[in-house]
Every structure is written in C-alpha cells, then in structure tokens.
C-alpha cells in the first residue's frame, strides 16, 4: 500500500517535526502541536517535489496551494526560522526507503504552474540579450525597482533608501541609521565643499542629496530605473539644490565625465556580474582623479569559494534577476588588480539584518496600502524576501561589506592622512 502524504512526511522529517502537515488526502504528519501547513491539493506536493526547498514552498504558498495557519504575510520571519531550524531530512533505509521510493514514483513531479510574479524571470530568455548586457540589465533593474515609488515609500520610509543602514546605537531608528550610513560614506570619501561626487546605482538619490546638502559638494547620480530617477530629480528640485545635484536615468557606463574627487557605489555591484568586475572597477578608476577615493558597498558571500552564478532560487526568480554575489576577498582582489589601493574594509552584516527587520515592520504597518499598490502576490514576495534576507544575514550566510580605496598617484600619494577617522567624534 502506498504511503499517504502525512506518512511520507514523517518518514523524511519525523513525527516530532515542529510543523503539522494536513494534506488534501486527509492524512497528517509531524507534531500535532506544530505550526499547521495545509496542502490543499496535489499541486502543493508537486511544487515541493519539482523544485524542493525554498523555491517550491514559496511557489505553493504564493499560489495558495500551501496555507500556513497564523502566518504574518508581511513578516514571516518566525515561520522561516522555524522551518530552517526544525526541518532536517532524515536518512531512510530498508523498508522505509522502499516505501518512500514507491511514494515518489506515484507522485512523480511534472512542470508546475508558476505564480505570475515569477513570469518576469523570462527576461533571461534570448530576447533580452546576453547576461549583463545593457538591454538585459535594464530589464532586470526595471523588474525590481519600477514596481511603484509609492510602494517603496511605504516599505523604505522617508529616506527612500534601499541599502543597508548603519545603526550607531541599539536605539537608533531606521531613518537615523540611514542618515548615519550616508554620513559614514561621506566621511570615508573625505568629502569637502567644492568636490565632485559620482554616485553609481544611486537609487532614489539619497547619497547625492545628503552629500550636496551636508558636505557642500556637487554630485551626479546614475540609475537604470526610470522611476527612481524621476523621484530623485523631483526631490532635488524640492530641496533647491538642482544647481549642484543631478540624477540621470541611464547606464553608469554612459558617464563620460572624468576627474571626480570621489565615487560611491552603494548596492550596485550585486547587479553587474562577477565576470564584469574588472571592467567595472577599471571604469571607475578611470573616472577618478589621482588621490580620489572609491567606496564600494555591497552584499557578499561569507567566503570566496562559490561560483559567480548563484543557484536559480527564490531571490533570483522573484527579486533580483541575474543578481550575483561573491566574497569580499574577490572584490578586493579585482579592485587592487585594476589599480586601486585598498585602505579600509569593514563588514556591516548585523546592520543589514536590522535594516531588513525594519523594512518588514514598515511593510506590516502599511500592509493594506502595499497590497493595493503592488498586488497581494508581490506584497507576499516582499514579506518572504525581507524576512529570509534578515535570517540569512543573522546566520552569516550573506554579509555586507564596505571597501574604501584610493586612486593612488604614480608618486605614491593616496590622499589619506596617517590615521584617518571615519566615525564622528563623540
């Protein structure tokens, strides 16, 4: 007799697993006191078998084939942590292994129905050109960032900053931490009145506006997102700094100006592809004057052993198409190989966990508005994405590194004092 869904679950995860599976066939598995996962139809099982892991579960959840009782759709952190900590597949052998094989043969997976939020993943098809070519990069950025400025205002808060904050104290708010992050970058870059700053991948212009208003520089920001550029330029006009600040809609590779005193790259490196690092840092090196500084801020892996292309999992299919990560050592190596002198390097991993938690809280606070602006499926994707990212940063599965470097002159002049201080005096 073939196993029921509940019996198969118990063979794989044990009867004491911290979740309670209730299947459409009337069977149950796991602990009766566990968090209830309802598999409402055979498609739920097919998703789990066809993709497995986070991707299969996410697909089933987004489609309603798996219903998780009591889940906070805006912040499913507790559920993700429970599943990650409590579900460990056991090794089956003997009669159990035979029965499980029969079960899998009966429920042989087939191509699943996909949530509509995943269909933009088709932008990787040939029609969009070579990976990390200009057209495909533009399509990937538009997919994620051109959702709705109003949606991002709800999730990100007044700063409209979609990168890791830096919390100066345990009590600091998200807005205080984002302002502190921009100030930290400005201090590392040694910004002074009259300097020229280039901010590549500038988002909604937060760094551009902060540097111009608080450090007296002139600044140019560039973003591939049309929505971001429009929002940022309007904010610049409202701030009355249009004579010294500009945000362009376009590819950073189209910037022709040179001789910048400083360049900030905050959250762009993740999008350009590991194989393109040499050309990227070479381009930035060419845009700086001698003794000019570059601050590169990006998400990294905790080691340098992974290949450049990540698994085709949830993040790649639903959030960042064509995104790639590697270790900070690879980034430093390429920067040095392209002529930069690395002067300072730090990891803000715990800060990004806190940032994601704050964004989840904003999503929860404005859940109804976010659903209206982006749709229930997209809002659910963001809940999963932010909570999962928080967990990954907490567990040191991913990190966030700032690497500060200079275009040191041929005579060896770096532009740094003997003991530069980046944190404000206090």
């Amino acid at each position: 007799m073939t196993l029921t869904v509940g019996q198969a679950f118990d063979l794989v995860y044990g009867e004491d697993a911290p979740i309670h599976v209730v299947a459409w066939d009337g069977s149950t598995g796991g602990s009766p006191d566990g968090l209830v996962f309802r598999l409402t139809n055979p498609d739920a099982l097919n998703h789990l078998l066809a993709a497995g892991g986070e991707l299969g579960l996410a697909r089933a959840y987004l489609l309603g084939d798996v219903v998780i009782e009591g889940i906070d759709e805006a912040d499913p952190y507790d559920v993700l942590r429970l599943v990650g900590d409590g579900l460990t597949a056991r090794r089956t052998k003997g009669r159990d292994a035979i029965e499980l094989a029969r079960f899998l043969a009966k429920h042989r997976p087939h191509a699943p129905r996909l949530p509509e939020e995943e269909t933009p993943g088709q932008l990787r098809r040939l029609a969009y050109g070579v990976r990390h070519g200009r057209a495909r990069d533009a399509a990937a950025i538009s997919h994620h960032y051109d959702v709705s400025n109003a949606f991002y205002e709800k999730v990100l808060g007044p700063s409209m900053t979609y990168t890791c904050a830096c919390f100066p104290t345990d009590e600091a708010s998200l807005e205080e931490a984002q302002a502190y992050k921009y100030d930290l970058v400005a201090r590392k870059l040694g910004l002074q009145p009259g300097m020229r700053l280039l901010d590549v991948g500038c988002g909604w212009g937060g760094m551009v506006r902060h540097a111009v208003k608080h450090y007296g520089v002139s600044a140019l920001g560039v973003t591939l997102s049309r929505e971001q550029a429009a929002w940022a330029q309007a904010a610049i006009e409202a701030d009355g700094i249009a004579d010294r600040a500009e945000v362009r809609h376009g590819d950073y590779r189209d910037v022709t100006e040179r001789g910048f005193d400083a360049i900030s790259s905050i959250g762009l490196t993740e999008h350009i592809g590991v194989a393109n690092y040499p050309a990227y840092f070479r381009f930035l090196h060419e845009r700086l004057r001698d003794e000019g500084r570059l601050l590169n801020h990006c998400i990294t892996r905790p080691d340098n052993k992974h290949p450049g292309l990540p698994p085709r999992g949830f993040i790649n299919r639903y959030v960042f198409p064509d995104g790639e990560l590697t270790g900070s050592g690879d980034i430093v190596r390429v920067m040095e190989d392209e002529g930069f002198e690395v002067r300072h390097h730090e990891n803000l991993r715990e800060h990004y966990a806190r940032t994601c938690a704050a964004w989840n809280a904003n999503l929860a606070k404005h859940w109804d508005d976010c659903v209206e602006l982006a749709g229930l499926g997209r809002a659910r994707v963001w809940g999963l994405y932010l909570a999962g990212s928080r967990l990954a940063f907490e567990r040191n599965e991913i990190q966030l590194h700032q690497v500060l470097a200079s275009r040191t002159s041929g005579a060896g002049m770096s532009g740094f004092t003997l003991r530069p201080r980046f944190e404000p005096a206090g």
Side-chain angles (χ1 to χ4, degrees), residues 164-170 177 346-358 389-401:
C164 176
C166 184
F167 291 79
T169 66
D170 284 339
E346 70 171 311
N347 184 358
L348 300 177
R349 173 176 65 82
E350 295 89 348
H351 294 263
Y352 218 159
R354 289 184 176 220
T355 304
C356 290
S389 296
R390 173 189 173 187
L391 198 58
F393 281 113
E394 288 177 347
R395 291 176 167 173
N396 195 29
E397 295 170 3
I398 48 177
Q399 301 175 346
L400 187 289
H401 283 263

PDB file of all heavy atoms in Angstrom, residues 164-170 177 346-358 389-401:
ATOM      1  N   CYS A 164      21.712  48.838   2.940  1.00  0.00           N
ATOM      2  CA  CYS A 164      21.968  48.593   4.353  1.00  0.00           C
ATOM      3  C   CYS A 164      22.207  49.884   5.121  1.00  0.00           C
ATOM      4  O   CYS A 164      23.041  50.709   4.738  1.00  0.00           O
ATOM      5  CB  CYS A 164      23.188  47.683   4.479  1.00  0.00           C
ATOM      6  SG  CYS A 164      23.725  47.375   6.173  1.00  0.00           S
ATOM      7  N   ALA A 165      21.471  50.058   6.210  1.00  0.00           N
ATOM      8  CA  ALA A 165      21.695  51.181   7.107  1.00  0.00           C
ATOM      9  C   ALA A 165      22.838  50.849   8.067  1.00  0.00           C
ATOM     10  O   ALA A 165      23.299  49.710   8.133  1.00  0.00           O
ATOM     11  CB  ALA A 165      20.421  51.491   7.886  1.00  0.00           C
ATOM     12  N   CYS A 166      23.275  51.856   8.801  1.00  0.00           N
ATOM     13  CA  CYS A 166      24.312  51.652   9.817  1.00  0.00           C
ATOM     14  C   CYS A 166      23.800  52.241  11.121  1.00  0.00           C
ATOM     15  O   CYS A 166      23.628  53.453  11.234  1.00  0.00           O
ATOM     16  CB  CYS A 166      25.621  52.323   9.388  1.00  0.00           C
ATOM     17  SG  CYS A 166      26.999  52.024  10.526  1.00  0.00           S
ATOM     18  N   PHE A 167      23.515  51.369  12.087  1.00  0.00           N
ATOM     19  CA  PHE A 167      22.885  51.783  13.335  1.00  0.00           C
ATOM     20  C   PHE A 167      23.949  52.216  14.341  1.00  0.00           C
ATOM     21  O   PHE A 167      24.727  51.382  14.822  1.00  0.00           O
ATOM     22  CB  PHE A 167      22.049  50.643  13.901  1.00  0.00           C
ATOM     23  CG  PHE A 167      20.826  50.337  13.085  1.00  0.00           C
ATOM     24  CD1 PHE A 167      20.921  49.593  11.907  1.00  0.00           C
ATOM     25  CD2 PHE A 167      19.582  50.799  13.481  1.00  0.00           C
ATOM     26  CE1 PHE A 167      19.792  49.321  11.145  1.00  0.00           C
ATOM     27  CE2 PHE A 167      18.448  50.528  12.729  1.00  0.00           C
ATOM     28  CZ  PHE A 167      18.553  49.795  11.553  1.00  0.00           C
ATOM     29  N   PRO A 168      24.016  53.506  14.689  1.00  0.00           N
ATOM     30  CA  PRO A 168      25.038  53.972  15.629  1.00  0.00           C
ATOM     31  C   PRO A 168      24.813  53.489  17.050  1.00  0.00           C
ATOM     32  O   PRO A 168      25.754  53.381  17.837  1.00  0.00           O
ATOM     33  CB  PRO A 168      24.930  55.492  15.534  1.00  0.00           C
ATOM     34  CG  PRO A 168      23.519  55.750  15.090  1.00  0.00           C
ATOM     35  CD  PRO A 168      23.171  54.605  14.197  1.00  0.00           C
ATOM     36  N   THR A 169      23.546  53.190  17.389  1.00  0.00           N
ATOM     37  CA  THR A 169      23.209  52.680  18.720  1.00  0.00           C
ATOM     38  C   THR A 169      22.091  51.658  18.576  1.00  0.00           C
ATOM     39  O   THR A 169      21.417  51.583  17.545  1.00  0.00           O
ATOM     40  CB  THR A 169      22.729  53.800  19.665  1.00  0.00           C
ATOM     41  OG1 THR A 169      21.481  54.315  19.167  1.00  0.00           O
ATOM     42  CG2 THR A 169      23.756  54.931  19.747  1.00  0.00           C
ATOM     43  N   ASP A 170      21.868  50.891  19.626  1.00  0.00           N
ATOM     44  CA  ASP A 170      20.771  49.924  19.624  1.00  0.00           C
ATOM     45  C   ASP A 170      19.414  50.601  19.502  1.00  0.00           C
ATOM     46  O   ASP A 170      18.458  50.003  18.994  1.00  0.00           O
ATOM     47  CB  ASP A 170      20.789  49.091  20.908  1.00  0.00           C
ATOM     48  CG  ASP A 170      21.879  48.036  20.913  1.00  0.00           C
ATOM     49  OD1 ASP A 170      22.347  47.673  19.818  1.00  0.00           O
ATOM     50  OD2 ASP A 170      22.259  47.587  22.001  1.00  0.00           O
ATOM     51  N   ALA A 177      19.533  55.627  11.203  1.00  0.00           N
ATOM     52  CA  ALA A 177      20.590  54.721  10.740  1.00  0.00           C
ATOM     53  C   ALA A 177      20.925  54.946   9.267  1.00  0.00           C
ATOM     54  O   ALA A 177      22.095  54.826   8.864  1.00  0.00           O
ATOM     55  CB  ALA A 177      20.176  53.273  10.980  1.00  0.00           C
ATOM     56  N   GLU A 346      35.280  46.983   5.981  1.00  0.00           N
ATOM     57  CA  GLU A 346      34.510  46.546   7.152  1.00  0.00           C
ATOM     58  C   GLU A 346      33.228  45.842   6.730  1.00  0.00           C
ATOM     59  O   GLU A 346      32.701  46.049   5.646  1.00  0.00           O
ATOM     60  CB  GLU A 346      34.205  47.707   8.092  1.00  0.00           C
ATOM     61  CG  GLU A 346      33.212  48.725   7.586  1.00  0.00           C
ATOM     62  CD  GLU A 346      32.820  49.720   8.680  1.00  0.00           C
ATOM     63  OE1 GLU A 346      32.486  49.266   9.805  1.00  0.00           O
ATOM     64  OE2 GLU A 346      32.845  50.934   8.405  1.00  0.00           O
ATOM     65  N   ASN A 347      32.735  45.016   7.651  1.00  0.00           N
ATOM     66  CA  ASN A 347      31.553  44.189   7.437  1.00  0.00           C
ATOM     67  C   ASN A 347      30.413  44.730   8.297  1.00  0.00           C
ATOM     68  O   ASN A 347      30.553  44.833   9.518  1.00  0.00           O
ATOM     69  CB  ASN A 347      31.883  42.740   7.819  1.00  0.00           C
ATOM     70  CG  ASN A 347      30.744  41.776   7.545  1.00  0.00           C
ATOM     71  OD1 ASN A 347      29.679  42.158   7.106  1.00  0.00           O
ATOM     72  ND2 ASN A 347      30.985  40.498   7.802  1.00  0.00           N
ATOM     73  N   LEU A 348      29.274  45.050   7.654  1.00  0.00           N
ATOM     74  CA  LEU A 348      28.103  45.565   8.356  1.00  0.00           C
ATOM     75  C   LEU A 348      26.968  44.542   8.382  1.00  0.00           C
ATOM     76  O   LEU A 348      25.794  44.894   8.352  1.00  0.00           O
ATOM     77  CB  LEU A 348      27.623  46.860   7.691  1.00  0.00           C
ATOM     78  CG  LEU A 348      28.621  48.019   7.663  1.00  0.00           C
ATOM     79  CD1 LEU A 348      28.028  49.211   6.912  1.00  0.00           C
ATOM     80  CD2 LEU A 348      29.016  48.438   9.076  1.00  0.00           C
ATOM     81  N   ARG A 349      27.318  43.273   8.450  1.00  0.00           N
ATOM     82  CA  ARG A 349      26.334  42.193   8.340  1.00  0.00           C
ATOM     83  C   ARG A 349      25.163  42.355   9.320  1.00  0.00           C
ATOM     84  O   ARG A 349      23.988  42.279   8.930  1.00  0.00           O
ATOM     85  CB  ARG A 349      27.021  40.838   8.566  1.00  0.00           C
ATOM     86  CG  ARG A 349      26.063  39.660   8.635  1.00  0.00           C
ATOM     87  CD  ARG A 349      26.828  38.358   8.752  1.00  0.00           C
ATOM     88  NE  ARG A 349      27.587  38.229   9.989  1.00  0.00           N
ATOM     89  CZ  ARG A 349      27.070  37.829  11.151  1.00  0.00           C
ATOM     90  NH1 ARG A 349      25.780  37.546  11.231  1.00  0.00           N
ATOM     91  NH2 ARG A 349      27.828  37.711  12.218  1.00  0.00           N
ATOM     92  N   GLU A 350      25.469  42.544  10.593  1.00  0.00           N
ATOM     93  CA  GLU A 350      24.396  42.647  11.585  1.00  0.00           C
ATOM     94  C   GLU A 350      23.495  43.856  11.330  1.00  0.00           C
ATOM     95  O   GLU A 350      22.301  43.830  11.637  1.00  0.00           O
ATOM     96  CB  GLU A 350      24.987  42.728  12.996  1.00  0.00           C
ATOM     97  CG  GLU A 350      25.722  41.477  13.435  1.00  0.00           C
ATOM     98  CD  GLU A 350      27.199  41.478  13.064  1.00  0.00           C
ATOM     99  OE1 GLU A 350      27.614  42.344  12.258  1.00  0.00           O
ATOM    100  OE2 GLU A 350      27.946  40.625  13.580  1.00  0.00           O
ATOM    101  N   HIS A 351      24.077  44.909  10.765  1.00  0.00           N
ATOM    102  CA  HIS A 351      23.298  46.108  10.458  1.00  0.00           C
ATOM    103  C   HIS A 351      22.262  45.821   9.371  1.00  0.00           C
ATOM    104  O   HIS A 351      21.163  46.375   9.400  1.00  0.00           O
ATOM    105  CB  HIS A 351      24.226  47.245  10.019  1.00  0.00           C
ATOM    106  CG  HIS A 351      25.131  47.727  11.102  1.00  0.00           C
ATOM    107  ND1 HIS A 351      24.839  48.830  11.872  1.00  0.00           N
ATOM    108  CD2 HIS A 351      26.322  47.250  11.550  1.00  0.00           C
ATOM    109  CE1 HIS A 351      25.818  49.028  12.752  1.00  0.00           C
ATOM    110  NE2 HIS A 351      26.721  48.070  12.575  1.00  0.00           N
ATOM    111  N   TYR A 352      22.626  44.949   8.417  1.00  0.00           N
ATOM    112  CA  TYR A 352      21.654  44.659   7.358  1.00  0.00           C
ATOM    113  C   TYR A 352      20.518  43.785   7.880  1.00  0.00           C
ATOM    114  O   TYR A 352      19.371  43.892   7.426  1.00  0.00           O
ATOM    115  CB  TYR A 352      22.328  44.002   6.156  1.00  0.00           C
ATOM    116  CG  TYR A 352      21.756  44.492   4.837  1.00  0.00           C
ATOM    117  CD1 TYR A 352      22.483  44.375   3.663  1.00  0.00           C
ATOM    118  CD2 TYR A 352      20.494  45.087   4.764  1.00  0.00           C
ATOM    119  CE1 TYR A 352      21.969  44.838   2.447  1.00  0.00           C
ATOM    120  CE2 TYR A 352      19.974  45.545   3.565  1.00  0.00           C
ATOM    121  CZ  TYR A 352      20.724  45.424   2.410  1.00  0.00           C
ATOM    122  OH  TYR A 352      20.212  45.887   1.218  1.00  0.00           O
ATOM    123  N   ALA A 353      20.804  42.921   8.835  1.00  0.00           N
ATOM    124  CA  ALA A 353      19.724  42.149   9.454  1.00  0.00           C
ATOM    125  C   ALA A 353      18.711  43.086  10.110  1.00  0.00           C
ATOM    126  O   ALA A 353      17.490  42.922   9.968  1.00  0.00           O
ATOM    127  CB  ALA A 353      20.296  41.170  10.477  1.00  0.00           C
ATOM    128  N   ARG A 354      19.214  44.099  10.807  1.00  0.00           N
ATOM    129  CA  ARG A 354      18.327  45.070  11.453  1.00  0.00           C
ATOM    130  C   ARG A 354      17.570  45.890  10.416  1.00  0.00           C
ATOM    131  O   ARG A 354      16.390  46.220  10.605  1.00  0.00           O
ATOM    132  CB  ARG A 354      19.138  46.015  12.346  1.00  0.00           C
ATOM    133  CG  ARG A 354      19.682  45.375  13.607  1.00  0.00           C
ATOM    134  CD  ARG A 354      20.372  46.410  14.472  1.00  0.00           C
ATOM    135  NE  ARG A 354      20.819  45.812  15.724  1.00  0.00           N
ATOM    136  CZ  ARG A 354      20.737  46.411  16.903  1.00  0.00           C
ATOM    137  NH1 ARG A 354      20.209  47.617  16.992  1.00  0.00           N
ATOM    138  NH2 ARG A 354      21.176  45.816  17.982  1.00  0.00           N
ATOM    139  N   THR A 355      18.244  46.234   9.332  1.00  0.00           N
ATOM    140  CA  THR A 355      17.591  47.009   8.277  1.00  0.00           C
ATOM    141  C   THR A 355      16.430  46.237   7.682  1.00  0.00           C
ATOM    142  O   THR A 355      15.334  46.774   7.495  1.00  0.00           O
ATOM    143  CB  THR A 355      18.605  47.364   7.179  1.00  0.00           C
ATOM    144  OG1 THR A 355      19.725  48.062   7.752  1.00  0.00           O
ATOM    145  CG2 THR A 355      17.970  48.247   6.112  1.00  0.00           C
ATOM    146  N   CYS A 356      16.648  44.961   7.379  1.00  0.00           N
ATOM    147  CA  CYS A 356      15.580  44.131   6.816  1.00  0.00           C
ATOM    148  C   CYS A 356      14.416  44.004   7.789  1.00  0.00           C
ATOM    149  O   CYS A 356      13.236  44.018   7.379  1.00  0.00           O
ATOM    150  CB  CYS A 356      16.120  42.750   6.449  1.00  0.00           C
ATOM    151  SG  CYS A 356      17.236  42.742   5.023  1.00  0.00           S
ATOM    152  N   ALA A 357      14.721  43.864   9.067  1.00  0.00           N
ATOM    153  CA  ALA A 357      13.660  43.773  10.070  1.00  0.00           C
ATOM    154  C   ALA A 357      12.828  45.056  10.093  1.00  0.00           C
ATOM    155  O   ALA A 357      11.595  45.011  10.219  1.00  0.00           O
ATOM    156  CB  ALA A 357      14.257  43.500  11.442  1.00  0.00           C
ATOM    157  N   ALA A 358      13.491  46.198   9.959  1.00  0.00           N
ATOM    158  CA  ALA A 358      12.775  47.477   9.949  1.00  0.00           C
ATOM    159  C   ALA A 358      11.906  47.609   8.702  1.00  0.00           C
ATOM    160  O   ALA A 358      10.780  48.119   8.768  1.00  0.00           O
ATOM    161  CB  ALA A 358      13.773  48.628  10.026  1.00  0.00           C
ATOM    162  N   SER A 389      15.976  37.351   3.994  1.00  0.00           N
ATOM    163  CA  SER A 389      17.260  38.053   3.967  1.00  0.00           C
ATOM    164  C   SER A 389      17.736  38.369   5.383  1.00  0.00           C
ATOM    165  O   SER A 389      18.921  38.218   5.701  1.00  0.00           O
ATOM    166  CB  SER A 389      17.127  39.340   3.154  1.00  0.00           C
ATOM    167  OG  SER A 389      16.837  39.064   1.805  1.00  0.00           O
ATOM    168  N   ARG A 390      16.814  38.813   6.217  1.00  0.00           N
ATOM    169  CA  ARG A 390      17.174  39.068   7.626  1.00  0.00           C
ATOM    170  C   ARG A 390      17.793  37.825   8.253  1.00  0.00           C
ATOM    171  O   ARG A 390      18.844  37.894   8.909  1.00  0.00           O
ATOM    172  CB  ARG A 390      15.938  39.500   8.402  1.00  0.00           C
ATOM    173  CG  ARG A 390      16.169  39.621   9.899  1.00  0.00           C
ATOM    174  CD  ARG A 390      14.859  39.849  10.641  1.00  0.00           C
ATOM    175  NE  ARG A 390      15.055  39.789  12.087  1.00  0.00           N
ATOM    176  CZ  ARG A 390      14.059  39.829  12.974  1.00  0.00           C
ATOM    177  NH1 ARG A 390      12.800  39.959  12.557  1.00  0.00           N
ATOM    178  NH2 ARG A 390      14.322  39.758  14.272  1.00  0.00           N
ATOM    179  N   LEU A 391      17.139  36.694   8.042  1.00  0.00           N
ATOM    180  CA  LEU A 391      17.624  35.444   8.621  1.00  0.00           C
ATOM    181  C   LEU A 391      18.994  35.078   8.070  1.00  0.00           C
ATOM    182  O   LEU A 391      19.886  34.625   8.808  1.00  0.00           O
ATOM    183  CB  LEU A 391      16.615  34.340   8.321  1.00  0.00           C
ATOM    184  CG  LEU A 391      16.672  33.063   9.152  1.00  0.00           C
ATOM    185  CD1 LEU A 391      16.506  33.374  10.631  1.00  0.00           C
ATOM    186  CD2 LEU A 391      15.601  32.091   8.688  1.00  0.00           C
ATOM    187  N   ALA A 392      19.195  35.280   6.780  1.00  0.00           N
ATOM    188  CA  ALA A 392      20.475  34.946   6.157  1.00  0.00           C
ATOM    189  C   ALA A 392      21.604  35.825   6.687  1.00  0.00           C
ATOM    190  O   ALA A 392      22.725  35.344   6.917  1.00  0.00           O
ATOM    191  CB  ALA A 392      20.373  35.084   4.646  1.00  0.00           C
ATOM    192  N   PHE A 393      21.328  37.111   6.902  1.00  0.00           N
ATOM    193  CA  PHE A 393      22.352  37.980   7.479  1.00  0.00           C
ATOM    194  C   PHE A 393      22.645  37.578   8.924  1.00  0.00           C
ATOM    195  O   PHE A 393      23.808  37.563   9.345  1.00  0.00           O
ATOM    196  CB  PHE A 393      21.911  39.443   7.412  1.00  0.00           C
ATOM    197  CG  PHE A 393      22.084  40.071   6.054  1.00  0.00           C
ATOM    198  CD1 PHE A 393      20.983  40.452   5.316  1.00  0.00           C
ATOM    199  CD2 PHE A 393      23.347  40.268   5.518  1.00  0.00           C
ATOM    200  CE1 PHE A 393      21.129  41.032   4.063  1.00  0.00           C
ATOM    201  CE2 PHE A 393      23.512  40.842   4.263  1.00  0.00           C
ATOM    202  CZ  PHE A 393      22.401  41.227   3.529  1.00  0.00           C
ATOM    203  N   GLU A 394      21.617  37.272   9.681  1.00  0.00           N
ATOM    204  CA  GLU A 394      21.817  36.866  11.072  1.00  0.00           C
ATOM    205  C   GLU A 394      22.670  35.610  11.166  1.00  0.00           C
ATOM    206  O   GLU A 394      23.492  35.480  12.092  1.00  0.00           O
ATOM    207  CB  GLU A 394      20.471  36.626  11.748  1.00  0.00           C
ATOM    208  CG  GLU A 394      19.676  37.891  12.031  1.00  0.00           C
ATOM    209  CD  GLU A 394      18.323  37.613  12.629  1.00  0.00           C
ATOM    210  OE1 GLU A 394      17.874  36.449  12.615  1.00  0.00           O
ATOM    211  OE2 GLU A 394      17.692  38.573  13.141  1.00  0.00           O
ATOM    212  N   ARG A 395      22.505  34.693  10.253  1.00  0.00           N
ATOM    213  CA  ARG A 395      23.194  33.404  10.302  1.00  0.00           C
ATOM    214  C   ARG A 395      24.533  33.419   9.564  1.00  0.00           C
ATOM    215  O   ARG A 395      25.155  32.378   9.390  1.00  0.00           O
ATOM    216  CB  ARG A 395      22.286  32.331   9.706  1.00  0.00           C
ATOM    217  CG  ARG A 395      21.066  32.036  10.562  1.00  0.00           C
ATOM    218  CD  ARG A 395      20.137  31.051   9.892  1.00  0.00           C
ATOM    219  NE  ARG A 395      19.143  30.543  10.836  1.00  0.00           N
ATOM    220  CZ  ARG A 395      18.130  29.776  10.497  1.00  0.00           C
ATOM    221  NH1 ARG A 395      17.951  29.434   9.221  1.00  0.00           N
ATOM    222  NH2 ARG A 395      17.270  29.338  11.404  1.00  0.00           N
ATOM    223  N   ASN A 396      24.954  34.578   9.114  1.00  0.00           N
ATOM    224  CA  ASN A 396      26.223  34.719   8.400  1.00  0.00           C
ATOM    225  C   ASN A 396      26.247  33.909   7.098  1.00  0.00           C
ATOM    226  O   ASN A 396      27.283  33.419   6.666  1.00  0.00           O
ATOM    227  CB  ASN A 396      27.413  34.314   9.283  1.00  0.00           C
ATOM    228  CG  ASN A 396      28.747  34.790   8.712  1.00  0.00           C
ATOM    229  OD1 ASN A 396      28.815  35.806   8.019  1.00  0.00           O
ATOM    230  ND2 ASN A 396      29.806  34.045   8.987  1.00  0.00           N
ATOM    231  N   GLU A 397      25.086  33.798   6.468  1.00  0.00           N
ATOM    232  CA  GLU A 397      25.022  33.163   5.154  1.00  0.00           C
ATOM    233  C   GLU A 397      25.333  34.171   4.053  1.00  0.00           C
ATOM    234  O   GLU A 397      25.767  33.804   2.961  1.00  0.00           O
ATOM    235  CB  GLU A 397      23.635  32.545   4.943  1.00  0.00           C
ATOM    236  CG  GLU A 397      23.352  31.398   5.910  1.00  0.00           C
ATOM    237  CD  GLU A 397      21.908  30.943   5.878  1.00  0.00           C
ATOM    238  OE1 GLU A 397      21.128  31.492   5.049  1.00  0.00           O
ATOM    239  OE2 GLU A 397      21.541  30.061   6.669  1.00  0.00           O
ATOM    240  N   ILE A 398      25.077  35.436   4.327  1.00  0.00           N
ATOM    241  CA  ILE A 398      25.492  36.542   3.475  1.00  0.00           C
ATOM    242  C   ILE A 398      25.981  37.675   4.363  1.00  0.00           C
ATOM    243  O   ILE A 398      25.654  37.719   5.560  1.00  0.00           O
ATOM    244  CB  ILE A 398      24.352  37.034   2.554  1.00  0.00           C
ATOM    245  CG1 ILE A 398      23.059  37.242   3.352  1.00  0.00           C
ATOM    246  CG2 ILE A 398      24.156  36.104   1.376  1.00  0.00           C
ATOM    247  CD1 ILE A 398      21.909  37.794   2.513  1.00  0.00           C
ATOM    248  N   GLN A 399      26.745  38.585   3.778  1.00  0.00           N
ATOM    249  CA  GLN A 399      27.335  39.688   4.521  1.00  0.00           C
ATOM    250  C   GLN A 399      27.167  40.989   3.735  1.00  0.00           C
ATOM    251  O   GLN A 399      26.687  40.988   2.600  1.00  0.00           O
ATOM    252  CB  GLN A 399      28.828  39.415   4.780  1.00  0.00           C
ATOM    253  CG  GLN A 399      29.103  38.143   5.546  1.00  0.00           C
ATOM    254  CD  GLN A 399      30.596  37.838   5.678  1.00  0.00           C
ATOM    255  OE1 GLN A 399      31.439  38.432   4.993  1.00  0.00           O
ATOM    256  NE2 GLN A 399      30.926  36.888   6.545  1.00  0.00           N
ATOM    257  N   LEU A 400      27.586  42.089   4.336  1.00  0.00           N
ATOM    258  CA  LEU A 400      27.581  43.385   3.667  1.00  0.00           C
ATOM    259  C   LEU A 400      28.915  44.064   3.935  1.00  0.00           C
ATOM    260  O   LEU A 400      29.261  44.334   5.084  1.00  0.00           O
ATOM    261  CB  LEU A 400      26.423  44.251   4.179  1.00  0.00           C
ATOM    262  CG  LEU A 400      26.121  45.591   3.503  1.00  0.00           C
ATOM    263  CD1 LEU A 400      27.167  46.678   3.788  1.00  0.00           C
ATOM    264  CD2 LEU A 400      25.967  45.432   1.984  1.00  0.00           C
ATOM    265  N   HIS A 401      29.666  44.315   2.875  1.00  0.00           N
ATOM    266  CA  HIS A 401      30.996  44.896   3.033  1.00  0.00           C
ATOM    267  C   HIS A 401      31.107  46.271   2.394  1.00  0.00           C
ATOM    268  O   HIS A 401      30.610  46.499   1.290  1.00  0.00           O
ATOM    269  CB  HIS A 401      32.053  43.976   2.417  1.00  0.00           C
ATOM    270  CG  HIS A 401      32.387  42.796   3.266  1.00  0.00           C
ATOM    271  ND1 HIS A 401      33.467  42.762   4.119  1.00  0.00           N
ATOM    272  CD2 HIS A 401      31.748  41.613   3.432  1.00  0.00           C
ATOM    273  CE1 HIS A 401      33.503  41.598   4.753  1.00  0.00           C
ATOM    274  NE2 HIS A 401      32.463  40.886   4.357  1.00  0.00           N
TER     275      HIS A 401
END
